[in-house]
Amino acid sequence: MVKVGIVGSTGYAGEELVRLLLNHKEVDIKWLYSQSYVGEEYSRVFGSYFKIVDDTCVGGDIEELSREVDLIFTATPQGYCSGIVNEELLKQVKIVDLSADFRIKDIDVYKEWYKLEHKSPEFIKEAVYGLCEINRDDIREARIVANPGCYTTASILALYPLVKEKIIDLKSIVIDAKSGTSGAGRGTSLANMFCEVNENIKAYGITNHRHTPEIEEQLTYGANEKIIINFTPHLIPMNRGILATSYVNLKGKFSYDDIKKIYVDFYKDDYFVRILDEGIYPETKWVKGSNYVDINFKIDERTNRLVVISAIDNLVKGAAGQAIQNMNLMYGFDEAEGLKLAPVFP
Amino acid sequence: MVKVGIVGSTGYAGEELVRLLLNHKEVDIKWLYSQSYVGEEYSRVFGSYFKIVDDTCVGGDIEELSREVDLIFTATPQGYCSGIVNEELLKQVKIVDLSADFRIKDIDVYKEWYKLEHKSPEFIKEAVYGLCEINRDDIREARIVANPGCYTTASILALYPLVKEKIIDLKSIVIDAKSGTSGAGRGTSLANMFCEVNENIKAYGITNHRHTPEIEEQLTYGANEKIIINFTPHLIPMNRGILATSYVNLKGKFSYDDIKKIYVDFYKDDYFVRILDEGIYPETKWVKGSNYVDINFKIDERTNRLVVISAIDNLVKGAAGQAIQNMNLMYGFDEAEGLKLAPVFP
Amino acid sequence: MVKVGIVGSTGYAGEELVRLLLNHKEVDIKWLYSQSYVGEEYSRVFGSYFKIVDDTCVGGDIEELSREVDLIFTATPQGYCSGIVNEELLKQVKIVDLSADFRIKDIDVYKEWYKLEHKSPEFIKEAVYGLCEINRDDIREARIVANPGCYTTASILALYPLVKEKIIDLKSIVIDAKSGTSGAGRGTSLANMFCEVNENIKAYGITNHRHTPEIEEQLTYGANEKIIINFTPHLIPMNRGILATSYVNLKGKFSYDDIKKIYVDFYKDDYFVRILDEGIYPETKWVKGSNYVDINFKIDERTNRLVVISAIDNLVKGAAGQAIQNMNLMYGFDEAEGLKLAPVFP
Amino acid sequence: MVKVGIVGSTGYAGEELVRLLLNHKEVDIKWLYSQSYVGEEYSRVFGSYFKIVDDTCVGGDIEELSREVDLIFTATPQGYCSGIVNEELLKQVKIVDLSADFRIKDIDVYKEWYKLEHKSPEFIKEAVYGLCEINRDDIREARIVANPGCYTTASILALYPLVKEKIIDLKSIVIDAKSGTSGAGRGTSLANMFCEVNENIKAYGITNHRHTPEIEEQLTYGANEKIIINFTPHLIPMNRGILATSYVNLKGKFSYDDIKKIYVDFYKDDYFVRILDEGIYPETKWVKGSNYVDINFKIDERTNRLVVISAIDNLVKGAAGQAIQNMNLMYGFDEAEGLKLAPVFP
């Protein structure tokens, strides 16, 4: 059994880690760390765990706590994980960080988009970007895995095969993404109150959302050529789910089957990627509660543009599920262990 | 492995059976029967099952199909199951019927409330009412289990210990229940269109909802005295969940702890019943996707009335989960097998 | 033109006052007062008013501001209005208070339920409870009108004719109410975040919600006999609307028409009360955005209990609309002026 | 008083016409025509109109009915209006058609996208496209006004000034639009059932939605150059509202103010177009229930792409409100008569 601790366990992503890990055969949750709820019963914070989880939220010194576990998940705001990582800690534990601290290799890009000094830049290089479908081998050996963002997961997986095969104009990428509200976290804010979100849709972070450089960096690796994109997220009145609609210009003529083959070949070994049948497009309800990413596309013959649709559950493949998938790789477990649950509908 | 078939597999309850059974160690789903989708791939009807369920929906002769399985779940409209049951069939298979056909022992009551002739009245007597917490022993031996209704499960479990202990005025029972929309099924109707349900609440079936006699019959067994109730269901804009608020007059003075003891004693062996801590009341979000029923109550000192709140997921404990719990009993499995999933939040 | 000021203009009820008053022929809004947004443009707080309302939110001394207006609406937390009322102020302005400060005549009841000292008890007696359908004549002459609560409006109007005619057992009243989330106000709180409210229903304030004594006091006047009730509110995932389901025991045998006559006679002069046709029950969607209260009922022959359903828009008839209706009476305007808008559906 | 009849009065757009026209000083609704509800009281179809609208839905011969009115609104499926228009009828009445029958000038384009033969092609030429902000003068003289589609209104108004001023690459236009569910109409369908729409987002009509050629035709007039676009609509879980996010490549360097000036100049006389302040972006909640269209944009310096956001209420500016705005022009009324209602929030 791998012993794990969860920092940020009282946020939505942290809670989802608990839900999924309870179903994992090889994991033992040792402690649930929380900034805001130290000393409170976890099942008071989330009534769902009454009679299921007996733990009380812990706080305090992370180094001390690290001695009880093999791996720590940090489901925390940016700046936390980079503040605790050091060689001592890494001798004790592996880390899967769900924040952005180790996602961006270029520290200047991190500073510019996150307006934060990085507290442990010396570990950026060794940290592995934890998009399993892309970096599977490196993840297996990693001590620090930077778990991808939710929008970025949906976006990169939709576009990676296309930029790798260079069948699209790399300057033409536009991603229009829509997210449920759990992506905004459990901190209170007027903007995320029920009456403000319900019966509303809005764009936000237009041209400057922090997931932009993360998508760009990964696609740049895929293309081996600098990629700059347009990314626009939207908030919609639902709890879970991200749908990303990507628009790219095709370089030359392609049939549906040509492009389908590129996707199918690229993802042939990936349990969680589902390239849908022609004419069937992703909907968030078909992935809710699961670790699947659904992808399909359509060629617009009139403009020779490709429209790619991808859907994930932002809390699973976009956060906790992917973190567990990473952990599975790091420990040589079946990559899908604990994650074989079918989507929950309706 | 128990081989099962699901009739009505393309409704919400049928689909939930599939979701949960995929997670059950001892079950093999042999076929998925559907009136409306014969010959269609199941994963086209529910995109969630793409790459998970390969079956095509079957139709046709149920007796023939029964030879391939040990147990049939009928998640069908009233009148179907009573139409197929006969001695031949029961030599082949056990049946868990999610409709009302075998719930009511008094055939006249059935006719009056359901406006239907019963097609196999000779089996009513042997059918066991499948509320596991009440009829556990009989269920183990049953060939036909009548799986309780969703409202009835939430209502009966909230009130049974009270009527059994006779601490309340049996004439005073008022149940005000609120349900998500999946309870209405997947058949199209103007009343259940998004724009009609969203931003709305309404009562329906006032004084004549069909779950009324079912609740009354079971509570009557519990009290060993004829019970008549007021039951009013409401439709609210959410997918899943039932909250029942019951009002009863106490006979005499009781403390919170007195009544708590009655509940705790009654449900002491019941994995899925959670009597919450004092001051914490059930909310549907804390049971969503799970087989739990959460119960708590408050004494109104001013009127000496007791307010009991109970919450379930209508598709799990109110339908598919309870059906599997029944199956587990019928085959001597761990009663919670396949049902140990924590609630899904948010 | 009546010149009005609105204190608490940046809450949901205050904002609804603005929306409705913009449509009122005889009113001029002089200032919009806000604790939290002093100096901000009102159309920044509510983007809906861009190019419609040019005002900047004001703060500061209410006595000074009172010189500019004829009437002040206080859409504020309890304790505010009672803190500003004095003889000086009342020489300047009339007041319609949307808080509970002047609703309860018995100051001890106020203290007990609101846990607040009353700051101007000397004005409680003269303040008129502003339920127009009940107190129309007194309201016309009032200087201070205590605008009823949202739950109370829906509850009292449903039950008043019954208690007045004494056709029910006055000890048997149970009110089960369900409200949209705008009733909780615009202050941020975890409980009212989108992901906490959406896909959820819960009861709250069980046996101790503050609208209880207000309902009791008014029904007591109607019956001329002390009335104690059970009142249980529930929070449901929608923005607007209250549905109250009331359960009462009938004293003797009554037909639908007998009771219908009682309602129709009682409300024969009331523009905003709609007693629906037999068999048609109130739904909040049919009153949304309007000042109507819809009422209907059904006799349960089996228990001789009456189920009464009433629906309002909590922000209109339950707050701002009723406040304007009160103002119309106070100034001798058509009672429905500014409020003749049809409900908004869907 | 202008006497009007509404065909399709029991759909969402038809019902919205009723709601708004009740508030119009110069209009008298003579009859409400309905295919499905002939002989039923209108207030039974929409409970909101109880005690407000006494009419019973009519059916039958439209030519006969036309003698009672001055203007007919047809809020009907495609193919209806073109089937009734003829010279006789136009001698009796003016027509505002909310369907697509007269929106497209090129009859081959109509056939191709709508898969319908046009039944009165001889009137296509004289029909005026009823986007008031663009065709105000022609509308004043029109006998037939083709009321624009909901998506098209949001899209064209967002882009027209840009294509007219030719500051963008006309080949680069991508429009990603999101709509509430009322846009799908009141006909029952599995896809629009509550449980299918709630907690879900999906794209549909990818590359072939019928509003595409309508947007293209109007933008082509604006640019005086053939325009082909990418248009992708999405269905989101809310009742009302459309948000369109448009992506275009700028030709050359522009500041925010440069482009702002283009919009402000273009819409300087338009009551219902609100170009928001810099940094404030449209949200559907700020236009709900009103006839406003909110627009703002942001330049992405990194890609020199412009992101334009526009929001409308699909049932008002996207259907009924715009139809009334057209009628106002046709009769020389104040263009905003009956439409001055502030948005309804929350």
Side-chain angles (χ1 to χ4, degrees), chain D residues 239-298:
Chain D
N239 287 352
R240 286 168 178 254
I242 283 179
L243 193 84
T245 311
S246 301
Y247 302 89
V248 293
N249 296 341
L250 285 168
K251 293 198 311 195
K253 267 291 173 210
F254 295 89
S255 70
Y256 177 83
D257 289 336
D258 293 340
I259 297 174
K260 174 82 173 244
K261 190 174 180 324
I262 289 172
Y263 277 105
V264 168
D265 286 354
F266 189 82
Y267 291 120
K268 64 179 179 303
D269 298 325
D270 292 303
Y271 186 94
F272 293 115
V273 180
R274 304 192 293 192
I275 310 302
L276 305 186
D277 290 340
E278 188 169 3
I280 309 290
Y281 299 99
E283 308 188 22
T284 60
K285 70 180 168 198
W286 301 134
V287 297
K288 196 173 53 172
S290 84
N291 201 48
Y292 291 100
V293 51
D294 282 2
I295 300 174
N296 211 346
F297 58 88
K298 187 153 187 203

Side-chain angles (χ1 to χ4, degrees), chain A residues 42-285:
Chain A
Y42 196 69
S43 64
R44 283 284 170 107
V45 183
F46 298 106
S48 41
Y49 292 108
F50 187 65
K51 282 179 64 175
I52 300 177
V53 171
D54 288 335
D55 297 51
T56 293
C57 296
V58 302
D61 186 47
I62 215 70
E63 279 197 31
E64 212 175 297
L65 286 164
S66 74
R67 285 179 213 123
E68 304 172 24
V69 297
D70 304 310
L71 180 143
I72 293 176
F73 292 102
T74 48
T76 44
Q78 335 304 337
Y80 177 87
C81 187
S82 56
I84 63 162
V85 165
N86 56 47
E87 205 49 57
E88 269 323 284
L89 189 79
L90 288 175
K91 276 179 190 146
Q92 287 290 339
V93 295
K94 296 175 196 277
I95 289 178
V96 177
D97 176 29
L98 283 78
S99 86
D101 280 6
F102 294 98
R103 291 180 194 158
I104 310 274
K105 289 296 168 204
D106 185 333
I107 197 169
D108 293 329
V109 171
Y110 178 84
K111 277 184 205 169
E112 184 193 334
W113 290 78
Y114 286 90
K115 318 290 178 206
L116 277 177
E117 282 302 308
H118 201 288
K119 295 175 201 145
S120 51
E122 65 275 23
F123 292 99
I124 294 178
K125 195 162 166 235
E126 86 156 279
V128 176
Y129 189 73
L131 193 52
C132 310
E133 287 75 12
I134 308 293
N135 289 333
R136 190 169 281 121
D137 291 338
D138 289 346
I139 294 164
R140 292 191 219 273
E141 312 302 323
R143 296 194 299 176
I144 308 173
V145 166
N147 208 58
C150 50
Y151 284 124
T152 57
T153 297
S155 302
I156 297 168
L157 292 176
L159 297 173
Y160 206 91
L162 304 178
V163 301
K164 186 154 181 296
E165 294 303 318
K166 304 220 167 158
I167 65 167
I168 61 166
D169 174 358
L170 299 180
K171 289 187 181 358
S172 71
I173 300 172
V174 168
I175 304 169
D176 186 293
K178 300 91 179 168
S179 176
T181 308
S182 60
R186 212 181 184 217
T188 57
S189 75
L190 177 58
N192 296 325
M193 295 277 285
F194 183 83
C195 289
E196 308 290 319
V197 172
N198 191 39
E199 283 294 294
N200 190 39
I201 172 170
K202 67 173 177 185
Y204 66 102
I206 304 165
T207 78
N208 58 24
H209 190 276
R210 290 160 167 191
H211 284 181
T212 310
E214 188 180 333
I215 299 168
E216 291 178 346
E217 184 175 317
Q218 296 303 317
L219 294 184
T220 294
Y221 297 146
N224 207 11
E225 201 172 312
K226 179 76 183 160
I227 288 183
I228 294 178
I229 62 164
N230 254 103
F231 173 71
T232 311
H234 298 75
L235 185 72
I236 66 173
M238 61 184 199
N239 286 352
R240 285 168 179 254
I242 283 178
L243 192 86
T245 311
S246 302
Y247 303 89
V248 294
N249 295 340
L250 286 168
K251 292 198 311 194
K253 268 289 173 210
F254 295 89
S255 70
Y256 178 84
D257 289 338
D258 293 339
I259 298 174
K260 175 82 173 246
K261 188 173 182 322
I262 290 172
Y263 277 105
V264 169
D265 286 356
F266 189 82
Y267 291 120
K268 65 180 181 302
D269 299 325
D270 291 302
Y271 185 93
F272 293 114
V273 180
R274 306 192 292 193
I275 310 301
L276 305 186
D277 290 340
E278 187 170 3
I280 309 290
Y281 299 98
E283 307 187 23
T284 60
K285 72 181 168 198

Side-chain angles (χ1 to χ4, degrees), chain C residues 85-109:
Chain C
V85 164
N86 56 48
E87 204 50 56
E88 269 323 285
L89 189 79
L90 288 175
K91 274 177 193 148
Q92 286 292 337
V93 295
K94 295 175 195 278
I95 289 179
V96 177
D97 177 29
L98 285 77
S99 87
D101 281 6
F102 293 99
R103 291 180 194 156
I104 310 273
K105 291 293 168 208
D106 185 333
I107 196 168
D108 292 329
V109 171

